[in-house]
Amino acid sequence: MCGIVGYTGNREAFPILIKGLHRMEYRGYDSAGVALLQGDEVTVHKCRGKVSDLEDFCKGKDLSGHLGIAHTRWATHGEPNDINAHPHFTSDHKIALIHNGIIENHLVLRKALEKAGYLFNSQTDTEVLIHLIEDIKKNECLDLAEAVRLALSQIIGTYAVIVISVDNPNTLIVARKGSPLIIGFGKDEYFAASDAAALVEYTRKVVYLNNEEMAVLTPGNDLIVKTIKNEIVPHSIQKLRMNINELEKGGFEHFMLKEIFEQPRTIRESMRGRLSVEREVVSLGGIVEYEERLLQARRFIIVACGTSYHAGLVAEHLFEDLIRIPVEVEYASEFRYRNPVIYDDDVVIAISQSGETADTLAAIELARQKGATILGICNVVGSSIARATHAGSYTHAGPEVGVASTKAFTSQVTVLILMALCLAKRKGKIAKNKYIRLIEELETIPDKVQKLLDNASAIEKIAQYIKDFNNVLYLGRNYNFPVALEGALKLKEISYIHAEGYPAAEMKHGPIALIDENMPVIVIATNNATYEKVVSNIHEVKTRKGKIISIVSEGNSEVRNLSDYVIEIPQTHEMFTPILASVPLQLLAYYVAVLRGKNVDQPRNLAKSVTVE
Ligand code: F6R
């Protein structure tokens, strides 16, 4: 969603700000803008469209300045257009602001400000904030930072903001609540952004602001972090570990394809230092301190959204099979608004690639209030969810830039497998020989994924067949049901073909009515306890003239003979099929989207990091 970036220092701000916006394009947005301090005015350029449209719009203009802010907007209040784009500014062009988040009480504030004579140009909730700051500053004769602080204390909702003003020509004022904000240190310069990707080129020294904290960034002055209640709080400087190459396409046509092909490496990264076949151990350093509590848990409740929710569904099978502790998996957005029964001996596991998903953060907060222990499984280091949990494990998949999640999913499943094996062993629920067999097999998974990728061209042919259908049904059972859901999500989000995932046996309770010669059905029929049942489901589809595309274990001939197209995956234990079976489905969605001419990395309406509920 919205990306924000700010710069103050000796360099020209514009190129830094534009590069920062490009680095955050993957988050999803519909308009972009920049504000630069130039003499006794803040100059604002903004327009609907891509960052490249903003660059075209700015061509030939004076873009000099050493203090500036820039924004990519994902519309919530007010349609995507030039006026609603950020930055917003005071009518005298003395103060400008960018904002990520939602101001829930904007209508009340707007009414009061209109009554006081302020004119509004846009339909956004954000414009309220700039006039409120202006009003407080003027009426109470305060400096800008104090006016920002008092204005923010009146806001109900979420924000990450950066404010600049002609009265403070070297200063960025930054604050956050709910939406992320990172401060970067350079030599006599400060950077601020919602995403480390916008900073990593210039600095690795950063401070992550916590909720309801703000700072005044003036080169030459030390960083002081305050709360919105005006109390000075300590901060810790951290080192960014991100690699710039990970933010480039590296010769691939799209980030999504690059990320699919990275999976043998990223799955290995998720296991690195945690799995040792020689020593016959699986251990997760991030949860060691809480292991006792996990082993005593009454129940695991997994909260997540989208693809991460599907990883949670895989974990439900894994944990119940291996640890024998009951598991519930919930959409974070539903969980937070129910009145769920949560005990203090429950363990809540939040799964999130970005670590910023608003609903997942809110679910964590609810569980925390009820006394549960909270674990996080996140990809983005230092993210809000990673910091809001008691303990957890990073997936170490590296930055995921394509909006459709691929390598993050297989890494989440890998970490969940490790967690299940580690706890099962500690709880004495797994026989030694089974444990050893499983960890030996797990170690072979990256090579098996590589084997699948080496055969990617076969999937392209199936994509040619799928691309003109309007609907596709995905079926799977047991460990493969979440794979069916994930395969359908991948196809619909980037190709815009309607797709549904279903438990194979449920088909006859409704979806079977849809089956005819125009309905391709993708069935995951790998070797497992329900294989024979799934074969029966395939017969049910065939009888009704549905087209079968099957995913089978290597060497299978029975399902091959029933299928119009077949994808073979290497033999593995059924617990690991979600990793192997999801890879061809990612490739299938990718190739179909490319053949349909869609924007694979930035599908319409979608955002990578969903920071609004
Ligand atoms: C789908 C996808 C989304 C995310 C969801 C949760 O490809 O990317 O469904 O999985 O928005 O995001 P995180 O994992 O960042 O909490």
Side-chain angles (χ1 to χ4, degrees):
M1 296 208 153
C2 308
I4 65 180
V5 56
Y7 175 76
T8 176
N10 296 323
R11 301 193 229 188
E12 284 298 317
F14 185 79
I16 294 172
L17 298 173
I18 289 293
K19 190 73 180 273
L21 292 187
H22 276 302
R23 290 286 188 216
M24 293 187 290
E25 282 193 291
Y26 76 97
R27 297 167 69 100
Y29 68 101
D30 43 56
S31 47
V34 59
L36 297 162
L37 182 81
Q38 296 182 320
D40 61 355
E41 232 186 56
V42 176
T43 313
V44 176
H45 308 291
K46 52 184 190 168
C47 62
R48 188 195 166 136
K50 296 282 166 199
V51 177
S52 54
D53 297 318
L54 176 66
E55 286 177 282
D56 289 345
F57 180 70
C58 288
K59 267 193 192 130
K61 299 195 164 107
D62 175 10
L63 301 168
S64 60
H66 301 278
L67 175 78
I69 53 179
H71 189 266
T72 44
R73 172 173 188 253
W74 188 87
T76 56
H77 295 67
E79 63 177 273
N81 62 28
D82 299 355
I83 292 175
N84 289 335
H86 298 211
H88 290 281
F89 49 92
T90 52
S91 50
D92 59 5
H93 281 253
K94 300 288 182 207
I95 310 173
L97 163 150
I98 48 179
H99 166 229
N100 179 9
I102 289 185
I103 299 174
E104 288 169 17
N105 56 338
H106 70 107
L107 282 178
V108 182
L109 293 170
R110 186 174 179 132
K111 257 194 197 137
L113 288 160
E114 277 171 344
K115 219 167 159 192
Y118 290 93
L119 295 176
F120 280 76
N121 293 313
S122 76
Q123 302 154 309
T124 63
D125 52 337
T126 300
E127 201 183 350
V128 159
L129 191 53
I130 190 81
H131 295 312
L132 188 57
I133 294 169
E134 188 180 9
D135 192 58
I136 295 173
K137 188 172 181 301
K138 198 168 66 194
N139 290 336
E140 306 196 19
C141 297
L142 295 171
D143 69 18
L144 182 67
E146 195 51 11
V148 169
R149 190 182 72 74
L150 290 180
L152 291 175
S153 59
Q154 293 187 38
I155 297 299
I156 300 174
T158 55
Y159 53 80
V161 290
I162 313 183
V163 188
I164 58 171
S165 149
V166 292
D167 293 340
N168 309 65
N170 304 316
T171 300
L172 298 170
I173 296 173
V174 299
R176 78 158 281 199
K177 180 184 169 198
S179 302
L181 201 134
I182 308 167
I183 297 168
F185 299 77
K187 192 171 174 318
D188 295 324
E189 58 188 357
Y190 277 112
F191 306 82
S194 47
D195 193 316
L199 306 180
V200 68
E201 228 138 331
Y202 310 104
T203 180
R204 295 194 169 264
K205 234 172 105 182
V206 297
V207 163
Y208 294 91
L209 274 195
N210 289 315
N211 268 339
E212 304 199 43
E213 286 182 355
M214 64 179 291
V216 178
L217 310 179
T218 310
N221 290 2
D222 286 345
L223 176 69
I224 297 175
V225 178
K226 270 187 188 178
T227 65
I228 299 299
K229 293 194 177 118
N230 211 16
E231 291 148 354
I232 293 181
V233 284
H235 59 269
S236 68
I237 296 179
Q238 318 226 358
K239 192 163 180 247
L240 282 183
R241 296 196 194 283
M242 193 179 274
N243 180 344
I244 293 177
N245 295 338
E246 292 174 322
L247 302 171
E248 312 279 354
K249 285 191 199 145
F252 284 88
E253 203 176 331
H254 297 101
F255 279 108
M256 181 179 175
L257 190 62
K258 175 187 172 222
E259 287 158 6
I260 291 173
F261 273 81
E262 277 175 346
Q263 289 177 108
R265 181 179 61 76
T266 52
I267 295 168
R268 260 187 214 107
E269 285 301 319
S270 302
M271 297 197 279
R272 187 183 303 282
R274 295 167 168 173
L275 170 79
S276 166
V277 173
E278 299 83 66
R279 289 189 295 119
E280 299 175 357
V281 300
V282 175
S283 70
L284 285 163
I287 61 166
V288 171
E289 243 183 88
Y290 281 80
E291 231 169 57
E292 248 351 281
R293 263 205 241 175
L294 302 186
L295 295 170
Q296 301 310 322
R298 175 197 293 245
R299 181 173 61 151
F300 288 108
I301 303 172
I302 298 178
V303 291
C305 304
T307 289
S308 299
Y309 171 81
H310 299 153
L313 291 176
V314 176
E316 181 177 25
H317 289 278
L318 284 166
F319 284 27
E320 292 199 344
D321 268 354
L322 290 171
I323 321 174
R324 305 303 297 151
I325 291 180
V327 181
E328 285 171 24
V329 191
E330 304 246 13
Y331 284 115
S333 53
E334 288 296 307
F335 180 81
R336 66 180 288 193
Y337 285 117
R338 280 200 295 111
N339 183 14
V341 177
I342 306 172
Y343 303 102
D344 55 12
D345 52 357
D346 280 335
V347 169
V348 171
I349 305 180
I351 307 176
S352 174
Q353 185 287 127
S354 63
E356 300 296 345
T357 302
D359 284 318
T360 310
L361 258 172
I364 290 173
E365 194 41 46
L366 177 66
R368 176 190 293 282
Q369 282 162 15
K370 307 244 180 188
T373 300
I374 302 155
L375 296 189
I377 295 184
C378 294
N379 192 34
V380 176
V381 176
S383 55
S384 302
I385 291 175
R387 287 180 301 131
T389 48
H390 291 111
S393 298
Y394 284 117
T395 47
H396 297 306
E400 191 178 64
V401 177
V403 161
S405 196
T406 52
K407 64 175 181 173
F409 174 75
T410 48
S411 280
Q412 286 166 343
V413 173
T414 304
V415 170
L416 289 160
I417 291 170
L418 293 172
M419 198 176 274
L421 283 167
C422 165
L423 295 177
K425 172 97 180 306
R426 291 273 284 111
K427 212 172 162 70
K429 293 284 181 192
I430 187 167
K432 184 156 185 209
N433 55 358
K434 181 173 178 189
Y435 177 78
I436 292 173
R437 246 190 310 119
L438 286 176
I439 63 175
E440 280 172 354
E441 175 59 20
L442 184 55
E443 212 201 19
T444 69
I445 292 297
D447 290 338
K448 291 183 175 172
V449 170
Q450 187 59 57
K451 196 169 168 194
L452 282 164
L453 294 171
D454 292 343
N455 202 20
S457 55
I459 313 282
E460 250 180 303
K461 291 195 190 103
I462 305 176
Q464 278 288 355
Y465 172 69
I466 295 281
K467 76 177 188 354
D468 296 320
F469 286 99
N470 295 323
N471 301 287
V472 180
L473 190 59
Y474 288 68
L475 300 178
R477 288 187 81 160
N478 214 298
Y479 280 93
N480 288 334
F481 167 51
V483 179
L485 292 176
E486 178 56 12
L489 178 63
K490 286 290 87 84
L491 187 72
K492 77 180 103 177
E493 68 182 330
I494 59 169
S495 74
Y496 316 148
I497 293 176
H498 170 244
E500 266 190 84
Y502 239 81
E506 272 292 304
M507 182 186 59
K508 56 186 162 302
H509 299 288
I512 200 164
L514 296 168
I515 298 204
D516 61 16
E517 62 281 12
N518 295 317
M519 177 63 97
V521 182
I522 298 181
V523 190
I524 305 135
T526 50
N527 294 348
N528 61 26
T530 50
Y531 168 77
E532 298 295 345
K533 309 277 176 198
V534 174
V535 174
S536 306
N537 299 137
I538 293 176
H539 280 288
E540 289 159 10
V541 173
K542 273 224 81 79
T543 316
R544 287 159 184 88
K545 300 197 167 51
K547 304 290 179 222
I548 299 286
I549 295 124
S550 59
I551 298 189
V552 298
S553 303
E554 224 164 36
N556 177 302
S557 54
E558 181 182 27
V559 172
R560 177 177 287 277
N561 294 335
L562 297 169
S563 304
D564 297 275
Y565 292 89
V566 185
I567 301 166
E568 279 196 344
I569 65 167
Q571 296 275 359
T572 190
H573 192 283
E574 68 172 325
M575 287 178 189
F576 309 143
T577 47
I579 298 181
L580 297 186
S582 59
V583 173
L585 296 182
Q586 295 166 350
L587 284 167
L588 184 65
Y590 171 80
Y591 289 127
V592 170
V594 171
L595 288 168
R596 286 167 69 96
K598 303 301 176 204
N599 184 342
V600 175
D601 283 335
Q602 289 164 27
R604 69 181 177 207
N605 304 336
L606 284 175
K608 182 72 187 160
S609 176
V610 185
T611 51
V612 298
E613 64 170 289

